[in-house]
Amino acid sequence: MAKNKEETVLITKDGIRHDGRKREDLREISFEVGVLDRADGSCLIEWGRNKILAAVYGPRELHPKHMQMPSQAYIRCEYRMATFSVPDRKRPAPNRREKEISKLLGEALDPALFTYLYPRSVIDVFIEVLQADGGTRCAAITAASLALADAGIPMRDLVSGVAAGNLSGKVVLDLDDIEDKEGEGDLPIAYLPNLEKVVLLQSDGIFTPDQYKEALDMLVPACKKVYQLQRKAITDKYSQINDAVQKDIDAEAKAKPAKDKKKADESKAKDDKKDKKKADDGKKSKADKEDKKKKGLKKPSKKKDDKKQASKEKEAKKD
Amino acid sequence: MNKITIINYSMYGEKKMPILIQDRSMVTPGEVIAEGDFSIGSHVYRREKKIVSQVIGLVTIKENFVSVVPLKGKYLPRVGDLVIGKVTDVSLSTWIVDIASPYHGVMRTSISLARRFDPIKDQTRKIFDVGEVIVAKVFSFDRTRDPMLTVRPDNRGGGNSPYLGKLVGGRVIDVSPSKIPRLIGRRGSMISTIKHFTNCKMIVGQNGRVWFKGNNFEDELLVLRAIEKIDREAHTTGLTDRIKEFLEEAKKQMTSPSKEKKSDKEKRSEKKS
């Protein structure tokens, strides 16, 4: 490992990182809102190689009752990593780290929510890390806030999280797993972009005061960048329906004249058939009348006439 | 992704108050809608002088009144609301009713029933049992206590009160409670359209539950489809017309297959002759 550590260059002199990013570059972020049918709100975030699912239930009744808060809703947050989320199988029982992050994220989401609107109830936030690659808590809170918004829970603001790090004395944004482990420091924050307030700030490792300031200066615009992506993701979900509806309307408008024509043709064809039938019926009835007349006039030669008429009728039908 | 920055200084009064977002456009939590002395409605809050949205929803601006209609959310009881609930628990003098809200509804024999309830002779279970669906009105609700429901018809105003009590037969579907106004339509236009086309009985609860009962399965399916369509497309414009079109189309399709069969028979008979 020691040799490997020297081999992996975390950051070059030009400020290019091991995966080709520059110092202030974030990894690629994409969201999918409303992925779960059962949950009131949900969001799947893909942040670089992180894949995290957040589900929100509530506000709903809280059991056990003694945990109910008389003046506000209780936020019950659960951060959990799947056994397959990391290279070495993670044991399924919740460990210290998971419990800590659960508590932390719940407390970071609290100032963003109007909890006083739902006294005695609970808002459940479940965060499941499906694939981890550094910076999961930032990605998790970003996803959780979208899931909360998707559930229609009143919020002061969305929450966006980004981490900064210290790689060989250079401050960089959004550490991945290798940088997190090999680098000198990790500084995740969660931020309310419109209120301009920090709701979560942790730091791990070494930062000089100047580095700390630099990190925060870089983090705030980064969080705002993430916020814009969040906003787009959640409005897209509904504007997609809008677009689909618009397409339907356009398609219908185009299809209508064609349909009308078809219908008209069909009805014409039907009418023609009916007319033919009527005409046939008319012939028959006339023939019948003639029959009766003839019957009345010539009784003895009845059979012959009948035969003749029958043959005539057959001919008519064939025609 | 910059915010929509159409600043139209509202013409009301001399004060210049910028509205940053157009009427009926979509907002997200934390987004500033307007700045200045507006009166505010539901799902918005004031931060300093700004008026900010609390939810994802559509902005409504009327003169100097700003509010947001949310696209999703749980039902919060309001006094006077008609709700559809399912009885989940029965005790000697109360029923507990699930009304699709963070709080369950409570019905007491003493205040909720139209007729006198004698606790010695009468049994609560014989009036409403667990699992039965009822329509009730929210009698009282505040932050400190669970909502109280009633099935006692209120004729004090002289008008007819809507049906309250047990619902027998039919189907119940859950939709987002914020979409209920859209489902009812302006002066009940949407709901009467659906009723007209399907001949179904419908009761719409403010808590997002809709009960309906039709003459046959096809009609009920049609109602279900229509409600689902409204639930999905509630935030789009011209919905009533589209639902009307949809129902007309569906009705045509329902009647046309039988016609085709007839015409097939006719053809066969022609061939035989």
Side-chain angles (χ1 to χ4, degrees), chain A residues 116 119 155-156 231 242 252, chain B residues 31 45 103 143 236 245:
Chain A
Y116 69 83
M155 295 170 84
R156 287 190 178 81
R231 220 181 79 81
N242 245 342
E252 267 178 32
Chain B
E31 205 170 328
Y45 72 102
Y103 313 103
R143 285 165 52 85
T236 58
E245 241 168 62

Side-chain angles (χ1 to χ4, degrees), chain A residues 12 19 26 31 34 44 49 51 63 94-95 161 169 173 194 201 209 262 269 272 295-296 312:
Chain A
T12 63
D19 56 358
L26 299 179
F31 303 95
L44 176 71
R49 275 151 69 199
K51 220 174 251 186
H63 285 291
N95 57 22
L173 278 183
N194 285 304
L201 180 94
K262 266 191 181 177
D272 287 353
K295 276 173 196 170
K312 267 184 188 174

Side-chain angles (χ1 to χ4, degrees), chain A residues 89-284:
Chain A
R89 183 183 125 97
K90 191 217 147 266
R91 303 182 92 232
N95 57 22
R96 197 215 91 250
R97 179 177 170 275
E98 282 168 305
K99 283 177 191 163
E100 180 191 309
I101 293 177
S102 301
K103 179 178 181 292
L104 214 88
L105 295 186
E107 281 169 11
L109 288 170
D110 185 272
L113 295 168
F114 287 93
T115 47
Y116 69 83
L117 290 173
Y118 299 95
R120 294 175 288 122
S121 64
V122 63
I123 297 167
D124 273 312
V125 182
F126 297 110
I127 296 160
E128 196 74 26
V129 179
L130 304 177
Q131 189 171 292
D133 188 38
T136 52
R137 73 192 70 194
C138 296
I141 202 166
T142 308
S145 89
L146 273 195
L148 284 164
D150 183 41
I153 294 167
M155 295 170 84
R156 287 190 178 81
D157 201 351
L158 292 176
V159 189
S160 345
V162 182
N166 179 6
L167 299 183
S168 334
K170 279 176 183 158
V171 178
V172 298
L173 278 183
D174 189 17
L175 300 176
D176 68 10
D177 196 41
I178 295 168
E179 291 170 330
D180 189 18
K181 278 175 182 149
E182 312 289 336
E184 275 85 63
D186 179 20
L187 193 143
I189 71 161
Y191 189 68
L192 304 180
N194 285 304
L195 287 159
E196 304 191 321
K197 274 178 183 155
V198 176
V199 287
L200 173 126
L201 180 94
Q202 294 182 287
S203 69
D204 182 16
I206 306 156
F207 285 92
T208 65
D210 285 342
Q211 279 171 346
Y212 215 97
K213 265 181 199 163
E214 195 190 347
L216 286 178
D217 286 346
M218 283 164 84
L219 281 167
V220 169
C223 282
K224 286 186 175 171
K225 217 165 153 188
V226 173
Y227 167 71
Q228 292 301 341
L229 295 172
Q230 280 176 294
R231 220 181 79 81
K232 192 173 177 295
I234 203 143
T235 47
D236 270 4
K237 185 193 162 188
Y238 291 99
S239 51
Q240 266 171 13
I241 298 174
N242 245 342
D243 292 348
V245 168
Q246 196 57 45
K247 262 187 187 173
D248 281 358
I249 293 168
D250 291 348
E252 267 178 32
K254 274 183 187 175
K256 257 198 175 174
K259 263 189 185 175
D260 288 348
K261 264 190 182 179
K262 266 191 181 177
K263 274 178 190 171
D265 290 348
E266 277 172 14
S267 61
K268 260 190 181 180
K270 275 183 186 174
D271 287 350
D272 287 353
K273 277 179 191 171
K274 278 180 186 173
D275 287 349
K276 271 186 183 177
K277 263 201 151 186
K278 273 182 187 174
D280 287 353
D281 290 348
K283 276 179 189 173
K284 272 184 192 173

Side-chain angles (χ1 to χ4, degrees), chain A residues 289-305:
Chain A
K289 274 178 189 175
E290 278 171 14
D291 277 7
K292 277 173 189 173
K293 276 181 187 175
K294 280 171 187 173
K295 276 173 196 170
L297 287 171
K298 295 175 183 178
K299 273 182 183 174
S301 60
K302 194 184 166 188
K303 280 182 183 175
K304 274 187 182 176
D305 279 340

Side-chain angles (χ1 to χ4, degrees), chain B residues 194-202 212-216 219-220 223:
Chain B
I194 299 175
K195 277 180 182 169
H196 171 72
F197 276 101
T198 58
N199 291 319
C200 281
K201 285 178 193 168
M202 285 178 83
F212 56 95
K213 187 178 184 180
N215 298 321
N216 54 38
D219 284 344
E220 285 184 344
V223 176

Side-chain angles (χ1 to χ4, degrees), chain A residues 28-134:
Chain A
E28 216 169 90
I29 306 167
S30 66
F31 303 95
E32 204 177 324
V33 180
V35 283
L36 303 175
D37 287 342
R38 289 295 184 132
D40 292 316
S42 58
C43 175
L44 176 71
I45 185 173
E46 282 178 48
W47 182 312
R49 275 151 69 199
N50 285 314
K51 220 174 251 186
I52 298 166
L53 194 56
V56 168
Y57 292 80
R60 61 182 179 184
E61 222 185 317
L62 175 55
H63 285 291
K65 260 193 167 170
H66 69 83
M67 282 173 82
Q68 292 182 352
M69 291 149 101
S71 61
Q72 67 172 97
Y74 174 59
I75 298 167
R76 189 159 54 183
C77 185
E78 212 167 278
Y79 169 98
R80 207 45 59 86
M81 283 174 97
T83 50
F84 50 81
S85 62
V86 278
D88 298 325
R89 183 183 125 97
K90 191 217 147 266
R91 303 182 92 232
N95 57 22
R96 197 215 91 250
R97 179 177 170 275
E98 282 168 305
K99 283 177 191 163
E100 180 191 309
I101 293 177
S102 301
K103 179 178 181 292
L104 214 88
L105 295 186
E107 281 169 11
L109 288 170
D110 185 272
L113 295 168
F114 287 93
T115 47
Y116 69 83
L117 290 173
Y118 299 95
R120 294 175 288 122
S121 64
V122 63
I123 297 167
D124 273 312
V125 182
F126 297 110
I127 296 160
E128 196 74 26
V129 179
L130 304 177
Q131 189 171 292
D133 188 38

Side-chain angles (χ1 to χ4, degrees), chain B residues 4 9 41 47 52 58 60 78 88 113 125 150-151 174 181 198-200 203 206 209-210 227 235 268 272:
Chain B
I4 308 159
Y9 288 94
R47 194 175 69 218
V52 187
L58 300 176
T60 328
R78 271 186 318 180
T88 54
L113 296 175
R125 229 170 236 284
T150 176
V151 290
D174 274 332
T198 58
N199 291 319
C200 281
I203 296 174
Q206 291 295 322
R209 287 215 174 118
V210 186
I227 293 170
H235 60 289
R268 270 178 222 151
K272 275 179 187 173

